Amino acid sequence: MQYEKIKKNAPQLLSMTGMTTDEFSALLPAFKAEWDEYYSRFTLKKQLRSRQSYGRKTSNLPKIEDKLLFILSYLKNNPLQEYHGAMFDLTQPQCNDWIHLLIEILRKTLKSLCELPERNAYRAQHILRQYDNVLLDGTERPIQRPQDSDRQK
């Protein structure tokens, strides 16, 4: 699967990544900068690089667009690694390695763009005090379960 084929079909890109073509294009330069920063210093196996490397055109994810599509579609759809790897012509171990690497690069990208959710409750309270109306996106639904343990199974 390659971004060049998917970008022509906007509804398919939206369903795979949760992003429109414009949103994907806006995220791409920051993601590329983080990737270049990482790849100039480390190998794909997270070892310190001893010499300069050039992008391999024979890689299964040769373009930065493909890397971003790979990680966004994984995070949006949460497929099995075996299945996700098959979509991108990777084995499951290769898919696992790419996921762990690209998820960290995406996290750094979102942090540099100040798009990460707030994890500190006190900081979130401070921010919320600045606004009159706040809409929270979340619901809880109670599920009634049988009291008998045999019926619960």
Side-chain angles (χ1 to χ4, degrees), residues 1-7 13 16-17 19 21 24-29 31-33 35-36 60-73 88 102:
M1 181 171 302
Q2 295 175 338
Y3 176 70
E4 286 299 318
K5 294 178 183 176
I6 301 297
K7 78 176 184 179
L13 179 66
M16 284 184 64
T17 64
M19 296 184 140
T21 308
F24 190 93
S25 299
L27 181 61
L28 192 58
F31 185 77
K32 182 180 182 336
W35 170 257
D36 291 342
N60 291 348
L61 300 172
K63 296 181 180 177
I64 194 67
E65 295 92 345
D66 298 334
K67 291 172 178 65
L68 184 56
L69 176 68
F70 175 85
I71 196 61
L72 289 176
S73 64
F88 287 87
L102 294 177

PDB file of all heavy atoms in Angstrom, residues 1-7 13 16-17 19 21 24-29 31-33 35-36 60-73 88 102:
ATOM      1  N   MET A   1       0.841  -1.164   0.000  1.00  0.00           N
ATOM      2  CA  MET A   1       0.000   0.000   0.000  1.00  0.00           C
ATOM      3  C   MET A   1       0.891   1.233   0.000  1.00  0.00           C
ATOM      4  O   MET A   1       1.842   1.316   0.769  1.00  0.00           O
ATOM      5  CB  MET A   1      -0.902  -0.007   1.231  1.00  0.00           C
ATOM      6  CG  MET A   1      -1.825   1.161   1.278  1.00  0.00           C
ATOM      7  SD  MET A   1      -3.050   1.034   2.571  1.00  0.00           S
ATOM      8  CE  MET A   1      -3.849  -0.472   2.138  1.00  0.00           C
ATOM      9  N   GLN A   2       0.553   2.181  -0.865  1.00  0.00           N
ATOM     10  CA  GLN A   2       1.344   3.396  -0.980  1.00  0.00           C
ATOM     11  C   GLN A   2       0.439   4.619  -0.915  1.00  0.00           C
ATOM     12  O   GLN A   2      -0.700   4.596  -1.386  1.00  0.00           O
ATOM     13  CB  GLN A   2       2.113   3.403  -2.297  1.00  0.00           C
ATOM     14  CG  GLN A   2       3.147   2.301  -2.390  1.00  0.00           C
ATOM     15  CD  GLN A   2       3.806   2.265  -3.750  1.00  0.00           C
ATOM     16  OE1 GLN A   2       3.252   2.757  -4.723  1.00  0.00           O
ATOM     17  NE2 GLN A   2       4.988   1.677  -3.808  1.00  0.00           N
ATOM     18  N   TYR A   3       0.996   5.691  -0.372  1.00  0.00           N
ATOM     19  CA  TYR A   3       0.232   6.923  -0.216  1.00  0.00           C
ATOM     20  C   TYR A   3      -0.178   7.492  -1.573  1.00  0.00           C
ATOM     21  O   TYR A   3      -1.267   8.054  -1.707  1.00  0.00           O
ATOM     22  CB  TYR A   3       1.040   7.947   0.577  1.00  0.00           C
ATOM     23  CG  TYR A   3       0.342   9.263   0.692  1.00  0.00           C
ATOM     24  CD1 TYR A   3      -0.792   9.394   1.480  1.00  0.00           C
ATOM     25  CD2 TYR A   3       0.792  10.385  -0.005  1.00  0.00           C
ATOM     26  CE1 TYR A   3      -1.460  10.609   1.582  1.00  0.00           C
ATOM     27  CE2 TYR A   3       0.136  11.590   0.098  1.00  0.00           C
ATOM     28  CZ  TYR A   3      -0.985  11.697   0.883  1.00  0.00           C
ATOM     29  OH  TYR A   3      -1.643  12.892   0.979  1.00  0.00           O
ATOM     30  N   GLU A   4       0.662   7.364  -2.576  1.00  0.00           N
ATOM     31  CA  GLU A   4       0.353   7.915  -3.902  1.00  0.00           C
ATOM     32  C   GLU A   4      -0.962   7.365  -4.448  1.00  0.00           C
ATOM     33  O   GLU A   4      -1.702   8.083  -5.108  1.00  0.00           O
ATOM     34  CB  GLU A   4       1.492   7.620  -4.884  1.00  0.00           C
ATOM     35  CG  GLU A   4       2.719   8.462  -4.661  1.00  0.00           C
ATOM     36  CD  GLU A   4       2.462   9.955  -4.814  1.00  0.00           C
ATOM     37  OE1 GLU A   4       1.736  10.354  -5.753  1.00  0.00           O
ATOM     38  OE2 GLU A   4       2.967  10.718  -3.977  1.00  0.00           O
ATOM     39  N   LYS A   5      -1.272   6.133  -4.162  1.00  0.00           N
ATOM     40  CA  LYS A   5      -2.520   5.523  -4.636  1.00  0.00           C
ATOM     41  C   LYS A   5      -3.697   5.943  -3.765  1.00  0.00           C
ATOM     42  O   LYS A   5      -4.797   6.163  -4.263  1.00  0.00           O
ATOM     43  CB  LYS A   5      -2.402   4.008  -4.654  1.00  0.00           C
ATOM     44  CG  LYS A   5      -1.397   3.491  -5.648  1.00  0.00           C
ATOM     45  CD  LYS A   5      -1.289   1.987  -5.573  1.00  0.00           C
ATOM     46  CE  LYS A   5      -0.221   1.489  -6.532  1.00  0.00           C
ATOM     47  NZ  LYS A   5      -0.022   0.040  -6.420  1.00  0.00           N
ATOM     48  N   ILE A   6      -3.477   6.046  -2.468  1.00  0.00           N
ATOM     49  CA  ILE A   6      -4.555   6.335  -1.522  1.00  0.00           C
ATOM     50  C   ILE A   6      -4.984   7.800  -1.582  1.00  0.00           C
ATOM     51  O   ILE A   6      -6.160   8.109  -1.424  1.00  0.00           O
ATOM     52  CB  ILE A   6      -4.117   5.974  -0.080  1.00  0.00           C
ATOM     53  CG1 ILE A   6      -3.752   4.497   0.012  1.00  0.00           C
ATOM     54  CG2 ILE A   6      -5.181   6.327   0.938  1.00  0.00           C
ATOM     55  CD1 ILE A   6      -4.881   3.563  -0.260  1.00  0.00           C
ATOM     56  N   LYS A   7      -4.050   8.716  -1.817  1.00  0.00           N
ATOM     57  CA  LYS A   7      -4.385  10.142  -1.752  1.00  0.00           C
ATOM     58  C   LYS A   7      -5.389  10.564  -2.819  1.00  0.00           C
ATOM     59  O   LYS A   7      -6.072  11.567  -2.668  1.00  0.00           O
ATOM     60  CB  LYS A   7      -3.138  11.007  -1.815  1.00  0.00           C
ATOM     61  CG  LYS A   7      -2.535  11.175  -3.186  1.00  0.00           C
ATOM     62  CD  LYS A   7      -1.382  12.135  -3.118  1.00  0.00           C
ATOM     63  CE  LYS A   7      -0.818  12.381  -4.508  1.00  0.00           C
ATOM     64  NZ  LYS A   7       0.284  13.323  -4.480  1.00  0.00           N
ATOM     65  N   LEU A  13      -8.724   7.600   2.275  1.00  0.00           N
ATOM     66  CA  LEU A  13      -7.678   8.134   3.156  1.00  0.00           C
ATOM     67  C   LEU A  13      -8.269   8.521   4.501  1.00  0.00           C
ATOM     68  O   LEU A  13      -7.691   8.230   5.550  1.00  0.00           O
ATOM     69  CB  LEU A  13      -6.988   9.337   2.515  1.00  0.00           C
ATOM     70  CG  LEU A  13      -5.899   9.995   3.358  1.00  0.00           C
ATOM     71  CD1 LEU A  13      -4.719   9.045   3.552  1.00  0.00           C
ATOM     72  CD2 LEU A  13      -5.441  11.293   2.727  1.00  0.00           C
ATOM     73  N   MET A  16      -9.001   5.415   6.532  1.00  0.00           N
ATOM     74  CA  MET A  16      -7.793   4.706   6.968  1.00  0.00           C
ATOM     75  C   MET A  16      -7.050   5.450   8.068  1.00  0.00           C
ATOM     76  O   MET A  16      -6.487   4.820   8.970  1.00  0.00           O
ATOM     77  CB  MET A  16      -6.841   4.487   5.794  1.00  0.00           C
ATOM     78  CG  MET A  16      -7.259   3.391   4.859  1.00  0.00           C
ATOM     79  SD  MET A  16      -6.024   3.132   3.600  1.00  0.00           S
ATOM     80  CE  MET A  16      -4.653   2.577   4.579  1.00  0.00           C
ATOM     81  N   THR A  17      -7.001   6.778   7.974  1.00  0.00           N
ATOM     82  CA  THR A  17      -6.148   7.544   8.885  1.00  0.00           C
ATOM     83  C   THR A  17      -6.912   8.485   9.806  1.00  0.00           C
ATOM     84  O   THR A  17      -6.350   8.960  10.785  1.00  0.00           O
ATOM     85  CB  THR A  17      -5.139   8.391   8.087  1.00  0.00           C
ATOM     86  OG1 THR A  17      -5.861   9.357   7.313  1.00  0.00           O
ATOM     87  CG2 THR A  17      -4.275   7.532   7.196  1.00  0.00           C
ATOM     88  N   MET A  19      -7.796  11.346   8.758  1.00  0.00           N
ATOM     89  CA  MET A  19      -7.343  12.664   8.310  1.00  0.00           C
ATOM     90  C   MET A  19      -7.730  12.900   6.858  1.00  0.00           C
ATOM     91  O   MET A  19      -7.726  11.963   6.053  1.00  0.00           O
ATOM     92  CB  MET A  19      -5.824  12.788   8.413  1.00  0.00           C
ATOM     93  CG  MET A  19      -5.281  12.717   9.790  1.00  0.00           C
ATOM     94  SD  MET A  19      -3.513  12.993   9.757  1.00  0.00           S
ATOM     95  CE  MET A  19      -3.345  13.978  11.194  1.00  0.00           C
ATOM     96  N   THR A  21      -6.895  14.848   3.186  1.00  0.00           N
ATOM     97  CA  THR A  21      -5.646  15.023   2.440  1.00  0.00           C
ATOM     98  C   THR A  21      -4.914  16.276   2.906  1.00  0.00           C
ATOM     99  O   THR A  21      -3.689  16.264   3.052  1.00  0.00           O
ATOM    100  CB  THR A  21      -5.940  15.109   0.932  1.00  0.00           C
ATOM    101  OG1 THR A  21      -6.732  13.981   0.553  1.00  0.00           O
ATOM    102  CG2 THR A  21      -4.675  15.101   0.111  1.00  0.00           C
ATOM    103  N   PHE A  24      -3.370  15.615   6.352  1.00  0.00           N
ATOM    104  CA  PHE A  24      -2.221  14.724   6.181  1.00  0.00           C
ATOM    105  C   PHE A  24      -1.029  15.529   5.663  1.00  0.00           C
ATOM    106  O   PHE A  24       0.082  15.409   6.173  1.00  0.00           O
ATOM    107  CB  PHE A  24      -2.583  13.600   5.208  1.00  0.00           C
ATOM    108  CG  PHE A  24      -1.562  12.502   5.129  1.00  0.00           C
ATOM    109  CD1 PHE A  24      -1.671  11.376   5.926  1.00  0.00           C
ATOM    110  CD2 PHE A  24      -0.488  12.591   4.253  1.00  0.00           C
ATOM    111  CE1 PHE A  24      -0.724  10.357   5.852  1.00  0.00           C
ATOM    112  CE2 PHE A  24       0.451  11.593   4.171  1.00  0.00           C
ATOM    113  CZ  PHE A  24       0.337  10.459   4.975  1.00  0.00           C
ATOM    114  N   SER A  25      -1.280  16.364   4.652  1.00  0.00           N
ATOM    115  CA  SER A  25      -0.209  17.187   4.071  1.00  0.00           C
ATOM    116  C   SER A  25       0.344  18.188   5.067  1.00  0.00           C
ATOM    117  O   SER A  25       1.530  18.523   5.022  1.00  0.00           O
ATOM    118  CB  SER A  25      -0.722  17.919   2.833  1.00  0.00           C
ATOM    119  OG  SER A  25      -1.131  16.994   1.853  1.00  0.00           O
ATOM    120  N   ALA A  26      -0.497  18.692   5.953  1.00  0.00           N
ATOM    121  CA  ALA A  26      -0.038  19.648   6.967  1.00  0.00           C
ATOM    122  C   ALA A  26       0.842  18.973   8.020  1.00  0.00           C
ATOM    123  O   ALA A  26       1.777  19.588   8.541  1.00  0.00           O
ATOM    124  CB  ALA A  26      -1.233  20.316   7.632  1.00  0.00           C
ATOM    125  N   LEU A  27       0.556  17.729   8.355  1.00  0.00           N
ATOM    126  CA  LEU A  27       1.340  16.991   9.350  1.00  0.00           C
ATOM    127  C   LEU A  27       2.660  16.483   8.780  1.00  0.00           C
ATOM    128  O   LEU A  27       3.639  16.326   9.518  1.00  0.00           O
ATOM    129  CB  LEU A  27       0.511  15.813   9.890  1.00  0.00           C
ATOM    130  CG  LEU A  27       1.141  14.928  10.945  1.00  0.00           C
ATOM    131  CD1 LEU A  27       1.480  15.735  12.203  1.00  0.00           C
ATOM    132  CD2 LEU A  27       0.206  13.779  11.292  1.00  0.00           C
ATOM    133  N   LEU A  28       2.697  16.262   7.488  1.00  0.00           N
ATOM    134  CA  LEU A  28       3.846  15.621   6.840  1.00  0.00           C
ATOM    135  C   LEU A  28       5.185  16.348   7.041  1.00  0.00           C
ATOM    136  O   LEU A  28       6.178  15.693   7.370  1.00  0.00           O
ATOM    137  CB  LEU A  28       3.548  15.410   5.354  1.00  0.00           C
ATOM    138  CG  LEU A  28       4.498  14.515   4.594  1.00  0.00           C
ATOM    139  CD1 LEU A  28       4.551  13.126   5.217  1.00  0.00           C
ATOM    140  CD2 LEU A  28       4.078  14.424   3.148  1.00  0.00           C
ATOM    141  N   PRO A  29       5.290  17.674   6.868  1.00  0.00           N
ATOM    142  CA  PRO A  29       6.603  18.320   7.029  1.00  0.00           C
ATOM    143  C   PRO A  29       7.189  18.156   8.438  1.00  0.00           C
ATOM    144  O   PRO A  29       8.392  17.920   8.581  1.00  0.00           O
ATOM    145  CB  PRO A  29       6.329  19.796   6.719  1.00  0.00           C
ATOM    146  CG  PRO A  29       5.085  19.797   5.917  1.00  0.00           C
ATOM    147  CD  PRO A  29       4.287  18.623   6.381  1.00  0.00           C
ATOM    148  N   PHE A  31       6.512  15.716  10.540  1.00  0.00           N
ATOM    149  CA  PHE A  31       6.867  14.297  10.681  1.00  0.00           C
ATOM    150  C   PHE A  31       8.184  14.015   9.960  1.00  0.00           C
ATOM    151  O   PHE A  31       9.047  13.308  10.477  1.00  0.00           O
ATOM    152  CB  PHE A  31       5.740  13.427  10.116  1.00  0.00           C
ATOM    153  CG  PHE A  31       5.948  11.955  10.319  1.00  0.00           C
ATOM    154  CD1 PHE A  31       5.726  11.367  11.554  1.00  0.00           C
ATOM    155  CD2 PHE A  31       6.354  11.157   9.269  1.00  0.00           C
ATOM    156  CE1 PHE A  31       5.919  10.002  11.742  1.00  0.00           C
ATOM    157  CE2 PHE A  31       6.545   9.793   9.442  1.00  0.00           C
ATOM    158  CZ  PHE A  31       6.323   9.214  10.691  1.00  0.00           C
ATOM    159  N   LYS A  32       8.354  14.595   8.777  1.00  0.00           N
ATOM    160  CA  LYS A  32       9.584  14.409   8.010  1.00  0.00           C
ATOM    161  C   LYS A  32      10.787  14.976   8.759  1.00  0.00           C
ATOM    162  O   LYS A  32      11.851  14.358   8.795  1.00  0.00           O
ATOM    163  CB  LYS A  32       9.473  15.061   6.634  1.00  0.00           C
ATOM    164  CG  LYS A  32      10.709  14.856   5.760  1.00  0.00           C
ATOM    165  CD  LYS A  32      10.549  15.506   4.430  1.00  0.00           C
ATOM    166  CE  LYS A  32      11.717  15.296   3.484  1.00  0.00           C
ATOM    167  NZ  LYS A  32      13.008  15.001   4.032  1.00  0.00           N
ATOM    168  N   ALA A  33      10.611  16.132   9.383  1.00  0.00           N
ATOM    169  CA  ALA A  33      11.709  16.730  10.142  1.00  0.00           C
ATOM    170  C   ALA A  33      12.125  15.836  11.305  1.00  0.00           C
ATOM    171  O   ALA A  33      13.324  15.636  11.548  1.00  0.00           O
ATOM    172  CB  ALA A  33      11.295  18.110  10.650  1.00  0.00           C
ATOM    173  N   TRP A  35      11.642  12.570  11.483  1.00  0.00           N
ATOM    174  CA  TRP A  35      12.228  11.363  10.895  1.00  0.00           C
ATOM    175  C   TRP A  35      13.676  11.629  10.490  1.00  0.00           C
ATOM    176  O   TRP A  35      14.565  10.823  10.784  1.00  0.00           O
ATOM    177  CB  TRP A  35      11.421  10.879   9.688  1.00  0.00           C
ATOM    178  CG  TRP A  35      12.126   9.803   8.937  1.00  0.00           C
ATOM    179  CD1 TRP A  35      12.799   9.916   7.765  1.00  0.00           C
ATOM    180  CD2 TRP A  35      12.272   8.426   9.324  1.00  0.00           C
ATOM    181  NE1 TRP A  35      13.343   8.718   7.397  1.00  0.00           N
ATOM    182  CE2 TRP A  35      13.034   7.786   8.336  1.00  0.00           C
ATOM    183  CE3 TRP A  35      11.822   7.691  10.414  1.00  0.00           C
ATOM    184  CZ2 TRP A  35      13.353   6.439   8.411  1.00  0.00           C
ATOM    185  CZ3 TRP A  35      12.148   6.342  10.479  1.00  0.00           C
ATOM    186  CH2 TRP A  35      12.901   5.731   9.484  1.00  0.00           C
ATOM    187  N   ASP A  36      13.923  12.740   9.815  1.00  0.00           N
ATOM    188  CA  ASP A  36      15.277  13.071   9.380  1.00  0.00           C
ATOM    189  C   ASP A  36      16.212  13.236  10.570  1.00  0.00           C
ATOM    190  O   ASP A  36      17.365  12.795  10.534  1.00  0.00           O
ATOM    191  CB  ASP A  36      15.273  14.344   8.528  1.00  0.00           C
ATOM    192  CG  ASP A  36      14.607  14.133   7.174  1.00  0.00           C
ATOM    193  OD1 ASP A  36      14.450  12.965   6.753  1.00  0.00           O
ATOM    194  OD2 ASP A  36      14.228  15.145   6.546  1.00  0.00           O
ATOM    195  N   ASN A  60      10.328  -1.330   2.047  1.00  0.00           N
ATOM    196  CA  ASN A  60       8.876  -1.494   1.904  1.00  0.00           C
ATOM    197  C   ASN A  60       8.144  -0.196   2.205  1.00  0.00           C
ATOM    198  O   ASN A  60       7.013  -0.007   1.781  1.00  0.00           O
ATOM    199  CB  ASN A  60       8.378  -2.601   2.821  1.00  0.00           C
ATOM    200  CG  ASN A  60       8.858  -3.955   2.362  1.00  0.00           C
ATOM    201  OD1 ASN A  60       9.371  -4.100   1.258  1.00  0.00           O
ATOM    202  ND2 ASN A  60       8.699  -4.947   3.200  1.00  0.00           N
ATOM    203  N   LEU A  61       8.765   0.683   2.961  1.00  0.00           N
ATOM    204  CA  LEU A  61       8.216   2.011   3.246  1.00  0.00           C
ATOM    205  C   LEU A  61       9.244   3.051   2.797  1.00  0.00           C
ATOM    206  O   LEU A  61       9.863   3.730   3.602  1.00  0.00           O
ATOM    207  CB  LEU A  61       7.920   2.158   4.740  1.00  0.00           C
ATOM    208  CG  LEU A  61       6.921   1.174   5.342  1.00  0.00           C
ATOM    209  CD1 LEU A  61       6.869   1.313   6.854  1.00  0.00           C
ATOM    210  CD2 LEU A  61       5.547   1.363   4.736  1.00  0.00           C
ATOM    211  N   PRO A  62       9.435   3.193   1.470  1.00  0.00           N
ATOM    212  CA  PRO A  62      10.533   4.033   0.984  1.00  0.00           C
ATOM    213  C   PRO A  62      10.307   5.529   1.169  1.00  0.00           C
ATOM    214  O   PRO A  62      11.247   6.280   1.373  1.00  0.00           O
ATOM    215  CB  PRO A  62      10.626   3.688  -0.496  1.00  0.00           C
ATOM    216  CG  PRO A  62       9.259   3.230  -0.867  1.00  0.00           C
ATOM    217  CD  PRO A  62       8.715   2.571   0.369  1.00  0.00           C
ATOM    218  N   LYS A  63       9.062   5.977   1.119  1.00  0.00           N
ATOM    219  CA  LYS A  63       8.781   7.414   1.182  1.00  0.00           C
ATOM    220  C   LYS A  63       8.245   7.782   2.557  1.00  0.00           C
ATOM    221  O   LYS A  63       7.611   6.977   3.230  1.00  0.00           O
ATOM    222  CB  LYS A  63       7.770   7.803   0.112  1.00  0.00           C
ATOM    223  CG  LYS A  63       8.284   7.580  -1.290  1.00  0.00           C
ATOM    224  CD  LYS A  63       7.256   8.012  -2.306  1.00  0.00           C
ATOM    225  CE  LYS A  63       7.790   7.781  -3.711  1.00  0.00           C
ATOM    226  NZ  LYS A  63       6.795   8.119  -4.714  1.00  0.00           N
ATOM    227  N   ILE A  64       8.489   9.023   2.929  1.00  0.00           N
ATOM    228  CA  ILE A  64       8.020   9.504   4.229  1.00  0.00           C
ATOM    229  C   ILE A  64       6.496   9.474   4.295  1.00  0.00           C
ATOM    230  O   ILE A  64       5.921   9.212   5.348  1.00  0.00           O
ATOM    231  CB  ILE A  64       8.603  10.905   4.536  1.00  0.00           C
ATOM    232  CG1 ILE A  64       8.405  11.274   5.993  1.00  0.00           C
ATOM    233  CG2 ILE A  64       8.023  11.951   3.623  1.00  0.00           C
ATOM    234  CD1 ILE A  64       9.182  10.453   6.966  1.00  0.00           C
ATOM    235  N   GLU A  65       5.825   9.697   3.174  1.00  0.00           N
ATOM    236  CA  GLU A  65       4.361   9.642   3.132  1.00  0.00           C
ATOM    237  C   GLU A  65       3.863   8.247   3.484  1.00  0.00           C
ATOM    238  O   GLU A  65       2.857   8.090   4.178  1.00  0.00           O
ATOM    239  CB  GLU A  65       3.831  10.034   1.754  1.00  0.00           C
ATOM    240  CG  GLU A  65       4.112  11.460   1.365  1.00  0.00           C
ATOM    241  CD  GLU A  65       5.409  11.610   0.579  1.00  0.00           C
ATOM    242  OE1 GLU A  65       6.233  10.657   0.574  1.00  0.00           O
ATOM    243  OE2 GLU A  65       5.612  12.685   0.002  1.00  0.00           O
ATOM    244  N   ASP A  66       4.583   7.232   2.990  1.00  0.00           N
ATOM    245  CA  ASP A  66       4.204   5.846   3.275  1.00  0.00           C
ATOM    246  C   ASP A  66       4.387   5.520   4.758  1.00  0.00           C
ATOM    247  O   ASP A  66       3.588   4.797   5.345  1.00  0.00           O
ATOM    248  CB  ASP A  66       5.024   4.877   2.416  1.00  0.00           C
ATOM    249  CG  ASP A  66       4.780   5.070   0.931  1.00  0.00           C
ATOM    250  OD1 ASP A  66       3.685   5.553   0.560  1.00  0.00           O
ATOM    251  OD2 ASP A  66       5.687   4.747   0.133  1.00  0.00           O
ATOM    252  N   LYS A  67       5.437   6.053   5.345  1.00  0.00           N
ATOM    253  CA  LYS A  67       5.682   5.826   6.774  1.00  0.00           C
ATOM    254  C   LYS A  67       4.565   6.444   7.614  1.00  0.00           C
ATOM    255  O   LYS A  67       4.060   5.828   8.555  1.00  0.00           O
ATOM    256  CB  LYS A  67       7.035   6.400   7.176  1.00  0.00           C
ATOM    257  CG  LYS A  67       8.225   5.658   6.590  1.00  0.00           C
ATOM    258  CD  LYS A  67       9.507   6.399   6.882  1.00  0.00           C
ATOM    259  CE  LYS A  67      10.726   5.693   6.367  1.00  0.00           C
ATOM    260  NZ  LYS A  67      10.817   5.570   4.927  1.00  0.00           N
ATOM    261  N   LEU A  68       4.179   7.672   7.270  1.00  0.00           N
ATOM    262  CA  LEU A  68       3.117   8.342   8.016  1.00  0.00           C
ATOM    263  C   LEU A  68       1.782   7.628   7.811  1.00  0.00           C
ATOM    264  O   LEU A  68       1.031   7.435   8.764  1.00  0.00           O
ATOM    265  CB  LEU A  68       3.018   9.815   7.604  1.00  0.00           C
ATOM    266  CG  LEU A  68       2.022  10.676   8.371  1.00  0.00           C
ATOM    267  CD1 LEU A  68       2.286  10.637   9.875  1.00  0.00           C
ATOM    268  CD2 LEU A  68       2.046  12.103   7.853  1.00  0.00           C
ATOM    269  N   LEU A  69       1.492   7.217   6.593  1.00  0.00           N
ATOM    270  CA  LEU A  69       0.269   6.453   6.317  1.00  0.00           C
ATOM    271  C   LEU A  69       0.264   5.156   7.118  1.00  0.00           C
ATOM    272  O   LEU A  69      -0.751   4.775   7.704  1.00  0.00           O
ATOM    273  CB  LEU A  69       0.153   6.149   4.827  1.00  0.00           C
ATOM    274  CG  LEU A  69      -1.024   5.269   4.403  1.00  0.00           C
ATOM    275  CD1 LEU A  69      -2.345   6.005   4.614  1.00  0.00           C
ATOM    276  CD2 LEU A  69      -0.876   4.846   2.951  1.00  0.00           C
ATOM    277  N   PHE A  70       1.394   4.491   7.181  1.00  0.00           N
ATOM    278  CA  PHE A  70       1.531   3.228   7.906  1.00  0.00           C
ATOM    279  C   PHE A  70       1.158   3.400   9.373  1.00  0.00           C
ATOM    280  O   PHE A  70       0.315   2.675   9.900  1.00  0.00           O
ATOM    281  CB  PHE A  70       2.978   2.718   7.770  1.00  0.00           C
ATOM    282  CG  PHE A  70       3.267   1.492   8.581  1.00  0.00           C
ATOM    283  CD1 PHE A  70       2.987   0.235   8.086  1.00  0.00           C
ATOM    284  CD2 PHE A  70       3.834   1.594   9.848  1.00  0.00           C
ATOM    285  CE1 PHE A  70       3.266  -0.903   8.834  1.00  0.00           C
ATOM    286  CE2 PHE A  70       4.107   0.468  10.599  1.00  0.00           C
ATOM    287  CZ  PHE A  70       3.829  -0.783  10.086  1.00  0.00           C
ATOM    288  N   ILE A  71       1.751   4.397  10.043  1.00  0.00           N
ATOM    289  CA  ILE A  71       1.522   4.524  11.482  1.00  0.00           C
ATOM    290  C   ILE A  71       0.148   5.097  11.788  1.00  0.00           C
ATOM    291  O   ILE A  71      -0.507   4.676  12.741  1.00  0.00           O
ATOM    292  CB  ILE A  71       2.665   5.323  12.180  1.00  0.00           C
ATOM    293  CG1 ILE A  71       2.612   5.116  13.681  1.00  0.00           C
ATOM    294  CG2 ILE A  71       2.629   6.775  11.806  1.00  0.00           C
ATOM    295  CD1 ILE A  71       2.795   3.691  14.135  1.00  0.00           C
ATOM    296  N   LEU A  72      -0.339   6.031  10.977  1.00  0.00           N
ATOM    297  CA  LEU A  72      -1.670   6.588  11.229  1.00  0.00           C
ATOM    298  C   LEU A  72      -2.761   5.541  11.014  1.00  0.00           C
ATOM    299  O   LEU A  72      -3.723   5.473  11.787  1.00  0.00           O
ATOM    300  CB  LEU A  72      -1.924   7.804  10.337  1.00  0.00           C
ATOM    301  CG  LEU A  72      -1.137   9.059  10.677  1.00  0.00           C
ATOM    302  CD1 LEU A  72      -1.416  10.146   9.658  1.00  0.00           C
ATOM    303  CD2 LEU A  72      -1.423   9.537  12.075  1.00  0.00           C
ATOM    304  N   SER A  73      -2.617   4.725   9.975  1.00  0.00           N
ATOM    305  CA  SER A  73      -3.633   3.695   9.732  1.00  0.00           C
ATOM    306  C   SER A  73      -3.579   2.621  10.812  1.00  0.00           C
ATOM    307  O   SER A  73      -4.612   2.071  11.197  1.00  0.00           O
ATOM    308  CB  SER A  73      -3.477   3.082   8.344  1.00  0.00           C
ATOM    309  OG  SER A  73      -2.249   2.400   8.223  1.00  0.00           O
ATOM    310  N   PHE A  88       1.044  -3.730   3.921  1.00  0.00           N
ATOM    311  CA  PHE A  88       2.200  -2.944   3.491  1.00  0.00           C
ATOM    312  C   PHE A  88       3.358  -3.831   3.017  1.00  0.00           C
ATOM    313  O   PHE A  88       4.484  -3.359   2.909  1.00  0.00           O
ATOM    314  CB  PHE A  88       2.662  -2.031   4.624  1.00  0.00           C
ATOM    315  CG  PHE A  88       1.742  -0.869   4.856  1.00  0.00           C
ATOM    316  CD1 PHE A  88       0.652  -0.994   5.697  1.00  0.00           C
ATOM    317  CD2 PHE A  88       1.954   0.332   4.220  1.00  0.00           C
ATOM    318  CE1 PHE A  88      -0.203   0.069   5.916  1.00  0.00           C
ATOM    319  CE2 PHE A  88       1.104   1.405   4.425  1.00  0.00           C
ATOM    320  CZ  PHE A  88       0.018   1.273   5.275  1.00  0.00           C
ATOM    321  N   LEU A 102       8.035   4.228  14.520  1.00  0.00           N
ATOM    322  CA  LEU A 102       7.246   5.346  13.997  1.00  0.00           C
ATOM    323  C   LEU A 102       6.293   5.941  15.023  1.00  0.00           C
ATOM    324  O   LEU A 102       5.965   7.127  14.955  1.00  0.00           O
ATOM    325  CB  LEU A 102       6.485   4.906  12.749  1.00  0.00           C
ATOM    326  CG  LEU A 102       7.368   4.563  11.546  1.00  0.00           C
ATOM    327  CD1 LEU A 102       6.519   4.071  10.391  1.00  0.00           C
ATOM    328  CD2 LEU A 102       8.217   5.758  11.127  1.00  0.00           C
TER     329      LEU A 102
END
